[in-house]
Amino acid sequence: MKIVADNTVPYLKGIAEPVAEVKYLNSNEFTPSTIHDADALIVRSIDKCTRELLQGSRVTLITTATIGFDHIDIKYCDEAGITWKNAPGCNAVSVAQYVLASLITIALRRGETLQGKTIGIVGVGHVGKELEKLCTAYGLHILRNDPPRAEEEGAAGFVSLDTIAEEADIITFHTPLTKEGPFATRHLANEVFFNKTRKKPWFVNASRGAVHDTTALIKALKSGKISEAVIDCWENEPAIDRELLSLTAVATPHIAGFSADGKANGTRTCLENIERFFGVKIEKLREVMPPEPADPVIDLTGVTEHRIEHAILKSFSPLAVDRALRETPEKFEWFRANYHHPREFAAYTVKNATTEERALFDKLGFK
């Protein structure tokens, strides 16, 4: 069996080699000639699996180490008999923790508390559910919007997008990007939506860039309809809008899901897909593990204020990558390829927390 893999998929090298010939390529090296004799592709979102790439190849499986799959021409794959698999939920915890850390960063800067604020979560799938858990534990009131789930499960527990626009202090989007059908999400956050906001909410996009209309978001920020923005996903990446960059409170290069844990989950899922599809056993699969944090213990001794927030931002803060992106936005893809993947809360042990704090740390996922 021959596998062609993106060489930036973490923790992969040496794992599948006992059962397959594995060729590692840069994203720009994925061409019809380099993949024509591959049985399987292991890809990331920057690897465009188009008809032009795949036609005439012997590829029978494409497995992507990402939640999203809009980089795969699924219509052509279905026509050509090519099976494709994504990695749903692999980085859901990572994205949820990114959002909470970013909101805490803004709240501390503003001298406010998040507790008691209302957060509207648009899209309550893998990521939305994880964010709901964190925000509930942290003391926010939750509004949930997910029309496909509401249609399938019943309307109880869900609200309309208009309700979120009118009632939420914070609005965060966690939908896939779809352009057609009754639940299309492209430009879901558009001028009509922003004009309905009533509480000058904070806006978060950590899903897909085109879920918001950039022109409309810039207008909403300038007019005060939106008071703060956290943007991890941008329209037209990597050619991001510099005016929007200047207006955001937290700006990052599409790395919300880039925790070491999420990356390991995505890689592991790809290999499991290969095992099932080709009927092989990859014995070294258990070795796909993220490294320990450089400093896995967070000691609260001497921390007198914002102790919960201190621990959260000690494990992950968006400020370093935010600063780097603002300084050289043209290096958007470089930052993604060279990002230092942080560990999630579960990799950290908190010391000297009070009994009350321990209960919250447990709910957030810390040891």
Side-chain angles (χ1 to χ4, degrees):
M1 174 169 52
K2 184 169 183 179
I3 299 170
V4 172
D6 185 303
N7 66 7
T8 60
V9 174
Y11 321 123
L12 179 62
K13 291 181 174 65
I15 302 298
E17 275 74 353
V19 301
E21 176 190 346
V22 186
K23 180 166 69 174
Y24 298 93
L25 299 177
N26 293 324
S27 178
N28 61 7
E29 295 174 329
F30 275 75
T31 66
S33 62
T34 59
I35 66 99
H36 77 281
D37 60 346
D39 298 292
L41 304 181
I42 299 177
V43 300
R44 292 177 53 225
S45 58
I46 59 173
D47 304 314
K48 308 306 180 186
C49 298
T50 61
R51 174 190 292 267
E52 291 71 26
L53 177 71
L54 299 167
Q55 198 162 32
S57 74
R58 77 176 196 208
V59 172
T60 54
L61 174 68
I62 299 170
T63 179
T64 180
T66 59
I67 293 175
F69 49 86
D70 45 303
H71 53 295
I72 300 173
D73 186 340
I74 60 176
K75 183 178 179 182
Y76 172 73
C77 287
D78 291 344
E79 291 173 358
I82 299 172
T83 299
W84 60 273
K85 297 287 185 181
N86 62 329
C90 67
N91 61 359
V93 171
S94 175
V95 177
Q97 292 180 1
Y98 164 94
V99 172
L100 181 59
S102 296
L103 295 177
I104 285 171
T105 298
I106 295 172
L108 290 175
R109 175 176 60 75
R110 291 172 63 110
E112 300 178 12
T113 180
L114 291 181
Q115 279 88 353
K117 289 185 182 294
T118 296
I119 183 167
I121 301 175
V122 182
V124 197
H126 292 287
V127 174
K129 288 175 184 175
E130 292 295 336
L131 183 60
E132 182 179 2
K133 289 179 196 173
L134 290 181
C135 290
T136 300
Y138 195 71
L140 284 86
H141 174 60
I142 312 294
L143 294 175
R144 303 153 83 236
N145 171 262
D146 195 313
R149 281 191 61 192
E151 182 176 79
E152 184 176 330
E153 303 167 22
F158 298 98
V159 301
S160 68
L161 200 58
D162 285 353
T163 297
I164 282 181
E166 292 165 5
E167 298 183 11
D169 301 294
I170 301 162
I171 302 171
T172 183
F173 280 73
H174 301 287
T175 69
L177 177 61
T178 55
K179 300 177 182 178
E180 300 173 349
F183 306 123
T185 62
R186 184 181 183 276
H187 286 186
L188 190 60
N190 55 23
E191 186 168 5
V192 172
F193 171 77
F194 291 127
N195 283 339
K196 291 178 180 176
T197 58
R198 292 290 177 267
K199 300 172 76 173
K200 299 182 178 180
W202 306 355
F203 174 83
V204 181
N205 186 356
S207 56
R208 285 291 183 266
V211 167
H212 72 250
D213 178 330
T214 297
T215 301
L217 178 55
I218 289 172
K219 185 175 179 180
L221 283 162
K222 285 184 167 182
S223 68
K225 289 282 187 181
I226 298 295
S227 59
E228 304 279 6
V230 176
I231 305 297
D232 183 59
C233 299
W234 308 72
E235 281 197 284
N236 305 314
E237 295 176 7
I240 65 175
D241 189 285
R242 306 302 171 82
E243 185 175 15
L244 179 58
L245 175 64
S246 71
L247 293 169
T248 54
V250 175
T252 51
H254 204 154
I255 48 77
F258 276 24
S259 71
D261 308 69
K263 287 293 185 182
N265 292 340
T267 300
R268 200 177 301 113
T269 298
C270 287
L271 294 167
E272 289 168 348
N273 289 334
I274 287 171
E275 281 188 323
R276 283 190 292 268
F277 187 83
F278 292 104
V280 297
K281 181 67 176 174
I282 302 175
E283 299 290 348
K284 299 181 76 173
L285 186 60
R286 66 178 69 90
E287 297 179 23
V288 180
M289 293 292 291
E292 286 295 309
D295 187 1
V297 176
I298 299 172
D299 192 343
L300 295 181
T301 302
V303 180
T304 57
E305 292 184 317
H306 308 299
R307 286 159 57 90
I308 302 293
E309 294 75 17
H310 171 84
I312 289 171
L313 296 178
K314 192 78 172 175
S315 66
F316 170 74
S317 169
L319 291 181
V321 68
D322 169 280
R323 183 167 54 251
L325 181 63
R326 292 179 193 279
E327 289 173 355
T328 50
E330 67 275 8
K331 293 175 67 176
F332 188 95
E333 283 297 350
W334 186 91
F335 291 131
R336 284 168 55 80
N338 295 275
Y339 185 61
H340 173 69
H341 307 298
R343 288 298 310 272
E344 294 171 4
F345 298 165
Y348 291 88
T349 300
V350 180
K351 290 181 63 177
N352 296 310
T354 66
T355 301
E356 183 179 353
E357 288 169 342
R358 283 172 64 95
L360 179 49
F361 280 126
D362 284 342
K363 291 177 181 177
L364 293 174
F366 288 91
K367 298 174 188 172

